[in-house]
Amino acid sequence: MSALTNQRFVLASRPVGAPTAENFRLEEVAIPTLGNNDVLIENHHLSIDPYMRGRMSDAKSYAEPVAIDGLMVGATVGKVLESNHADYQAGDWVLAYKGWETHSVVDGDTLLKLNPDLAPVSYALGILGMPGFTAYMGLLDIGQPKEGDTLVVAAATGPVGATVAQIGKLKGCRVVAIAGGEEKCQYAREHLSVDACIDHKADNFAEQLADACPQGIDVYFENVGGKVFD
Ligand SMILES: NC(=O)c1ccc[n+]([C@@H]2O[C@H](COP(=O)([O-])OP(=O)(O)OC[C@H]3O[C@@H](n4cnc5c(N)ncnc54)[C@H](OP(=O)(O)O)[C@@H]3O)[C@@H](O)[C@H]2O)c1
């Protein structure tokens, strides 16, 4: 047993609607002895992602729900403190899929080693990780935009949407962003260099979208569902 303890958030109850603090419980637990191939990680970054809301629910889904009193799942970037795995040693940076906790003990075979000289390690949870890959594959493999196309991107200031918008600009598209609120739209125009951004909360959203896409829409990158998709 290590002298360190692990602080972790477990799911205390299943949320109805938007989650609240009462749906979670902070616990302090002992760190178990490492087994063969196990690695002890000190987590530095945790990504909070939309899929987590699905894991809090026990409705039928493609993935198992988090159990009540179970550790909330999530991807983390952390530093190896101890290792019983041949490929990892103390000081290595790794990407792990365990959860909302300060310290994780995981089988080293499930880890991805990160090179801090290549990019900030936290990027493995964003542009160089799951959201970035989703944007890259979704837009380039499925959307296949061509120069001059009108590309509309929903939730355009999130990690997936912001990446899609920027790749779209690199590919020579007219990029029309959709985001919730003027502050996000200002960010999209100034930092993502989109051609137009529409606040989906505006009363005349449909009219503004039509005005922003005079030639119609060639590629639509859906991120949310609901009203905007309809
Ligand atoms: N491999 C995969 O299949 C994969 C991987 C990563 C992500 N995804 C999916 O891709 C989408 C984008 O992911 P992301 O991480 O980039 O998300 P995100 O943009 O950080 O978060 C979702 C955004 O959706 C918008 N939104 C619109 N209506 C909403 C509502 N009623 N409730 C909550 N949010 C609402 C919000 O932006 P506004 O305020 O701008 O509307 C919110 O910030 C998500 O659907 C995610 O599940 C799939």
Side-chain angles (χ1 to χ4, degrees):
M1 195 82 80
S2 165
L4 285 170
T5 54
N6 177 27
Q7 291 197 309
R8 62 180 199 169
F9 280 103
V10 298
L11 185 67
S13 58
R14 300 203 184 281
V16 178
T20 65
E22 284 65 44
N23 297 126
F24 307 96
R25 192 175 61 248
L26 180 62
E27 292 183 340
E28 189 156 357
V29 293
I31 293 172
T33 306
L34 271 60
N36 265 352
N37 278 343
D38 278 353
V39 176
L40 170 62
I41 304 157
E42 175 187 76
N43 291 318
H44 286 232
H45 306 278
L46 163 71
S47 182
I48 300 292
D49 298 302
Y51 75 84
M52 291 171 171
R53 181 61 185 84
R55 301 290 197 282
M56 295 172 201
S57 160
D58 58 3
K60 195 168 181 291
S61 166
Y62 66 95
E64 285 293 308
V66 172
I68 294 298
D69 298 331
L71 174 68
M72 265 308 298
V73 291
T76 53
V77 162
K79 208 176 216 178
V80 172
L81 294 183
E82 280 177 51
S83 171
N84 283 348
H85 193 286
D87 296 346
Y88 296 95
Q89 49 186 308
D92 284 346
W93 285 99
V94 291
L95 174 68
Y97 291 96
K98 185 86 186 299
W100 299 13
E101 59 184 2
T102 57
H103 295 79
S104 299
V105 173
V106 297
D107 183 336
D109 287 344
T110 66
L111 295 173
L112 182 72
K113 196 183 287 191
L114 303 173
N115 180 352
D117 296 330
L118 221 55
V121 287
S122 64
Y123 284 23
L125 299 171
I127 187 84
L128 296 181
M130 185 260 281
F133 300 156
T134 301
Y136 185 94
M137 295 303 292
L139 183 64
L140 297 180
D141 264 43
I142 298 172
Q144 298 184 10
K146 297 183 294 298
E147 193 171 352
D149 275 357
T150 297
L151 164 67
V152 176
V153 189
T157 58
V160 174
T163 308
V164 168
Q166 291 171 93
I167 297 174
K169 286 307 297 176
L170 290 172
K171 291 287 169 189
C173 296
R174 171 178 167 74
V175 177
V176 177
I178 297 171
E182 178 45 33
E183 197 180 348
K184 287 186 177 185
C185 273
Q186 193 180 341
Y187 174 85
R189 286 189 294 263
E190 289 176 8
H191 296 278
L192 308 178
S193 304
V194 300
D195 298 280
C197 182
I198 306 166
D199 176 2
H200 63 73
K201 295 174 186 163
D203 290 337
N204 62 345
F205 167 71
E207 203 179 308
Q208 285 193 51
L209 181 62
D211 287 348
C213 306
Q215 310 295 322
I217 298 171
D218 299 294
V219 180
Y220 174 51
F221 199 102
E222 169 53 38
N223 265 324
V224 184
K227 182 188 75 174
V228 171
F229 183 53
D230 293 344

